[in-house]
Amino acid sequence: MAARLLVVPLLAGLVLLVGAPVTAAQAAPGCSGRPAKTITFATGELRVYKSRTHACAVTVAKKPGKRRAMSVTLQPRGGRVVKDSGSFTQMAGPVTVNALNRCVRATGSVAGKSASTGWILC
């Protein structure tokens, strides 16, 4: 009886320590920071993340699987465009720019459909 009383709290503590698994919808591989903006379009999503000094963007296909043309661009105001494009199965990016006290704009496309943020994080 005493052994059971000891096991239950230990298992509960282990569950709290391990936590729930992170899904693909919650975090983009390669991008650090907090989610700042997500734009959904017909064939995918454009996700922008912001840390204290950087902005990061990825384009994720709505239905991953076969290879198709995908791209993601990110530009800080007054700076050069950073782009990742090609034939991907699931995701284009991540692309990262220095965005300390700067607005950024991002564009993403999957199979000819696209979305853009305009200037954000100002």
Side-chain angles (χ1 to χ4, degrees), residues 27-44:
C31 277
S32 62
R34 62 178 169 76
K37 183 104 174 160
T38 300
I39 299 177
T40 303
F41 53 100
T43 54

Side-chain angles (χ1 to χ4, degrees), residues 50-72:
K50 173 78 170 131
S51 69
R52 191 178 79 72
T53 59
H54 290 82
C56 180
V58 295
T59 299
V60 181
K62 192 173 275 188
K63 294 182 181 176
K66 64 179 185 174
R67 289 195 171 274
R68 63 198 133 192
M70 297 177 70
S71 70
V72 61

Side-chain angles (χ1 to χ4, degrees), residues 41-45 58-73 83-93 107-115:
F41 53 100
T43 54
E45 277 186 351
V58 295
T59 299
V60 181
K62 192 173 275 188
K63 294 182 181 176
K66 64 179 185 174
R67 289 195 171 274
R68 63 198 133 192
M70 297 177 70
S71 70
V72 61
T73 64
K83 182 176 185 176
D84 182 28
S85 63
S87 182
F88 302 110
T89 58
Q90 183 177 11
M91 181 176 93
T107 304
S109 71
V110 177
K113 306 289 183 186
S114 63

